[in-house]
């Protein structure tokens, strides 16, 4: 059968396979990462991680899904009430909703995370409150392209 152009029924399979290859590469790179690790998050803030995060709170479903896709699901100790995927998140502690007014800073602090992944500009007020109590927060904007998804995964 001849190879078809864009729009073929094989395109989703190629995209899926490419995504799996990328995920394997990202997980391998993460395993080999040296600490301390310094980078810039999506709000342009300079972040330093002194060690591999062991306890992570995710304040956005997109971040939670990326964490689980990258094999870091066991480190997730808190998620929002709007996180529903993967099914394992249903058993994870809830830290409030998605918007800053509904996020419980006290609940997050009680979970003793060494990293909080936030939803960028939308959650700036929560990010600032969490940093005031000494937590490390990384802001990730909601991706709207494949390139943005991959960039967020590389950052995570």
């Amino acid at each position: 059968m001849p190879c078809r152009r864009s729009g073929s029924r094989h395109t989703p399979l190629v995209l899926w396979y490419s995504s799996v290859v990328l995920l394997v590469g990202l997980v391998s790179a993460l395993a080999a990462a040296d600490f301390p690790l310094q980078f810039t998050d999506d709000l342009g803030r300079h972040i330093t991680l002194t060690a591999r995060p062991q306890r992570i709170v995710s304040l956005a479903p997109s971040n939670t899904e990326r964490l689980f896709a990258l094999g870091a699901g066991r480190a997730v100790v808190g998620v929002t009430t709007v996180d529903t995927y993967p099914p394992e998140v249903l058993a994870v502690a809830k830290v409030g909703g998605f918007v800053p007014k509904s996020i419980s800073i006290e609940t997050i602090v009680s979970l003793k995370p060494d990293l909080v992944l936030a939803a960028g500009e939308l959650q700036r007020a929560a990010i600032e409150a969490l940093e005031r109590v000494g937590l490390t927060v990384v802001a990730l904007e909601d991706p709207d392209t494949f390139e943005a998804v991959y960039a967020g995964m590389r950052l995570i």
Side-chain angles (χ1 to χ4, degrees):
M1 174 183 256
C3 183
R4 297 182 187 187
R5 294 185 183 243
S6 179
S8 106
R9 62 187 173 98
H10 299 290
T11 301
L13 182 60
V14 169
L15 287 174
W16 179 84
Y17 179 74
S18 299
S19 296
V20 169
V21 169
L22 177 69
L23 285 174
V24 169
L26 287 171
V27 170
S28 298
L30 179 62
D34 290 325
F35 289 90
L37 197 59
Q38 297 181 345
F39 56 92
T40 303
D41 73 3
D42 287 351
L43 292 181
R45 299 166 331 114
H46 299 288
I47 309 291
T48 299
L49 295 179
T50 57
R52 184 177 320 283
Q54 302 297 311
R55 299 181 59 79
I56 303 171
V57 169
S58 173
L59 300 181
S62 58
N63 293 341
T64 303
E65 290 177 22
R66 287 185 268 191
L67 284 163
F68 276 84
L70 290 169
R74 283 184 255 150
V76 177
V77 296
V79 297
T80 70
T81 56
V82 296
D83 283 72
T84 60
Y85 186 84
E88 294 87 351
V89 302
L90 300 176
V92 177
K94 304 299 183 248
V95 298
F98 182 71
V99 296
K101 287 183 180 180
S102 65
I103 295 170
S104 172
I105 304 301
E106 295 81 12
T107 301
I108 295 170
V109 170
S110 76
L111 295 172
K112 298 182 174 121
D114 43 24
L115 178 64
V116 178
L117 293 180
E121 190 62 45
L122 175 69
Q123 295 178 336
R124 188 176 287 273
I127 292 168
E128 292 170 355
L130 291 164
E131 287 181 323
R132 280 194 296 275
V133 297
L135 295 178
T136 301
V137 184
V138 174
L140 295 163
E141 293 292 346
D142 198 23
D144 56 0
T145 64
F146 277 121
E147 292 79 18
V149 169
Y150 296 145
M153 292 179 94
R154 280 190 302 272
L155 186 61
I156 290 173

